[in-house]
Amino acid sequence: MFDRLPFLIGLRYVRAKRRNHFISFISLTSMLGLMLGVAVLILVLSVMNGFDHELRTRVLGMVPHTKIEAPGGLTDWRPLAERLMQRERVVGAAPYVEQQGMFSVGGRNEGAMVIGIEPEWESRVSIIDDNMRRGRLDDLTAGEWNVVLGSLLARRLGVGVGDRVTLLVPEASITPAGVFPRLKRFTVSGIFSVGADLDASLAYAHIDDMQTLARLGDAVGGLRLELDDLFAASSVTRDIIDELGAGFRGLDWTYSHGNLFQAIQMEKRMIALLLTVIIAVAAFNIVSTLVMVVTDKRADIAILRTIGATPRSIMGIFIVQGLAIGVIGILVGVTLGVLLALTVSDLIGWVESTFGIHFLDAGVYFISDLPSRLIWSDVGNIVLAAFVLTFLSTLYPAWRAARVQPAEVLRYE
């Protein structure tokens, strides 16, 4: 009988109506606090996971996972590309020529990185072909001097498909008339948009045209590689360079965009820590609830002790009661948090369309829609942390209940 006693009495105390309504109010407050804390933490982490996924997909979909270069460029790049694609984790390779320059049209000037690409190879390492808003990537043909601009870059220059722009590169051409900056007229053949800052700083041209402009001859600047796991970029790059030997160098995405994603992960951890404090405050409200219940039930505890209940059983009663309050709050919070995480994008869209409010301006932020990505491991960690905090909050009141002396209590009954 005494083995089941803590469980049965603990659950009965949770369901029982109390003479002291303040105890019931504190118990309800603790339950609601846990519910809101767990739900908000699941929702916020899901939204941050969504932002992280969108940035990783859009930014790193355009930025190469790793680049293999050589001083003076690569002349015989096709055999090397085929050789590298046979390696484990390498899923694509494409040649490139990079040239920093400035586009000029009608008195407007905008700096950009112009990348010379082979259109039929580029889809192996980039998502640009899937994000063309106007024109096609195949319109980049050798000798036509066409260029594909990012949407924000085209907007700032005030140009569209069919317009002509002038590219100035930071290299001088020596002519009989003197030294002049090197420049070339391009025709805008397409516009892409990935919803990131790359739309304002990136342009594409045919690799043959960029080789001519950069005076590289038949050489290319290097090879861009796509990997099946972008977080393995550093180790894969190191292995490739070790295999190729001296004269080659590798640059992976962590050199150019690593700080951005590290900042996102740090922000996610800090917000999770802060919101866990909210759960901790709600969990430790259970302490005050159970302390008042112990005071209110001193006579019951004394009677149980006189009929043979051990201090351990008395502790178990109040631990069960506290855990029952916490588990109910956690389960309701998980249900609410998961539902919000799965529907928050649609809810925000409905609010924006109904009230004419825009939470994310596409001109300021990377994206215009609020993303959400539910990761069940995060939910599991949140539930575990909330349960542990709830359990810890029951120990002191349960210990106080076990120390109640039956003789002292029953003396005045």
Side-chain angles (χ1 to χ4, degrees):
M1 179 185 69
F2 288 111
D3 291 337
R4 299 177 58 195
L5 185 69
F7 183 76
L8 296 175
I9 297 179
L11 292 182
R12 181 174 179 177
Y13 279 175
V14 174
R15 300 191 305 268
K17 293 184 178 179
R18 308 186 190 285
R19 293 168 296 181
N20 188 342
H21 296 291
F22 185 67
I23 298 178
S24 299
F25 174 75
I26 294 297
S27 177
L28 180 62
T29 301
S30 303
M31 192 179 300
L32 291 176
L34 277 170
M35 178 192 74
L36 291 177
V38 169
V40 170
L41 186 52
I42 291 175
L43 176 60
V44 170
L45 289 185
S46 297
V47 171
M48 295 203 68
N49 289 331
F51 274 106
D52 178 71
H53 181 262
E54 289 294 324
L55 285 173
R56 189 180 303 169
T57 301
R58 299 188 184 198
V59 176
L60 292 184
M62 300 290 288
V63 175
H65 291 174
T66 188
K67 297 190 295 186
I68 305 299
E69 300 176 344
L74 300 175
T75 52
D76 194 13
W77 60 268
R78 291 179 185 273
L80 179 60
E82 297 294 342
R83 173 184 168 189
L84 292 178
M85 283 193 294
Q86 294 177 0
R87 291 182 59 90
E88 185 181 3
R89 293 197 176 279
V90 178
V91 296
Y96 72 92
V97 173
E98 286 184 349
Q99 181 69 64
Q100 187 74 39
M102 182 173 66
F103 286 103
S104 178
V105 57
R108 299 180 180 180
N109 301 303
E110 292 291 336
M113 176 65 75
V114 185
I115 302 179
I117 62 171
E118 187 72 51
E120 62 182 22
W121 287 68
E122 187 63 17
S123 59
R124 304 181 184 184
V125 298
S126 173
I127 62 173
I128 182 176
D129 207 18
D130 300 325
N131 290 273
M132 294 293 296
R133 297 296 177 259
R134 298 187 63 186
R136 297 180 307 137
L137 201 61
D138 293 337
D139 293 335
L140 296 178
T141 54
E144 295 293 330
W145 297 97
N146 291 332
V147 65
V148 173
L149 302 179
S151 57
L152 292 178
L153 180 60
R155 186 189 309 170
R156 292 173 182 177
L157 291 172
V159 297
V161 173
D163 294 333
R164 294 178 66 81
V165 295
T166 301
L167 175 64
L168 292 83
V169 298
E171 295 181 11
S173 296
I174 301 176
T175 68
V179 179
F180 293 93
R182 191 181 309 169
L183 52 86
K184 183 63 183 178
R185 296 275 285 178
F186 283 84
T187 301
V188 179
S189 63
I191 295 175
F192 71 87
S193 176
V194 292
D197 58 348
L198 297 176
D199 292 341
S201 60
L202 202 59
Y204 289 90
H206 195 278
I207 193 169
D208 290 353
D209 296 340
M210 295 307 297
Q211 284 174 320
T212 302
L213 186 63
R215 298 176 179 175
L216 290 177
D218 294 332
V220 299
L223 291 176
R224 307 167 72 192
L225 303 183
E226 177 85 2
L227 308 180
D228 60 357
D229 181 7
L230 62 92
F231 292 106
S234 297
S235 60
V236 172
T237 303
R238 193 163 48 247
D239 293 342
I240 291 175
I241 296 304
D242 290 342
E243 178 183 328
L244 296 179
F248 292 88
R249 68 170 183 170
L251 297 173
D252 60 77
W253 67 272
T254 59
Y255 284 91
S256 57
H257 291 80
N259 291 337
L260 173 63
F261 289 90
Q262 288 177 3
I264 291 175
Q265 293 300 319
M266 178 62 71
E267 185 177 358
K268 178 182 175 181
R269 286 192 290 267
M270 291 305 298
I271 289 180
L273 178 62
L274 293 175
L275 292 177
T276 303
V277 173
I278 297 177
I279 297 178
V281 171
F284 284 111
N285 278 341
I286 296 176
V287 175
S288 57
T289 301
L290 294 182
V291 167
M292 287 186 288
V293 171
V294 169
T295 303
D296 190 54
K297 300 293 185 181
R298 285 170 62 87
D300 294 355
I301 295 171
I303 293 173
L304 288 171
R305 289 294 306 276
T306 57
I307 62 175
T310 63
R312 183 176 179 181
S313 297
I314 300 300
M315 283 190 67
I317 292 172
F318 293 96
I319 289 176
V320 168
Q321 182 184 358
L323 288 179
I325 295 172
V327 167
I328 293 172
I330 292 171
L331 291 179
V332 176
V334 168
T335 303
L336 180 61
V338 169
L339 289 176
L340 287 174
L342 294 175
T343 60
V344 66
S345 299
D346 296 332
L347 289 175
I348 294 298
W350 177 81
V351 170
E352 290 181 337
S353 62
T354 303
F355 299 99
I357 302 173
H358 295 285
F359 293 99
L360 296 175
D361 185 354
V364 177
Y365 299 97
F366 285 105
I367 53 180
S368 58
D369 299 323
L370 187 68
S372 178
R373 186 167 181 256
L374 183 66
I375 298 179
W376 288 106
S377 60
D378 286 345
V379 176
N381 291 333
I382 293 169
V383 170
L384 179 61
F387 183 82
V388 170
L389 290 172
T390 300
F391 175 74
L392 293 176
S393 67
T394 65
L395 295 180
Y396 173 71
W399 176 76
R400 282 195 57 179
R403 288 175 57 86
V404 171
Q405 299 298 323
E408 295 181 3
V409 175
L410 296 178
R411 181 185 306 170
Y412 302 103
E413 294 292 331

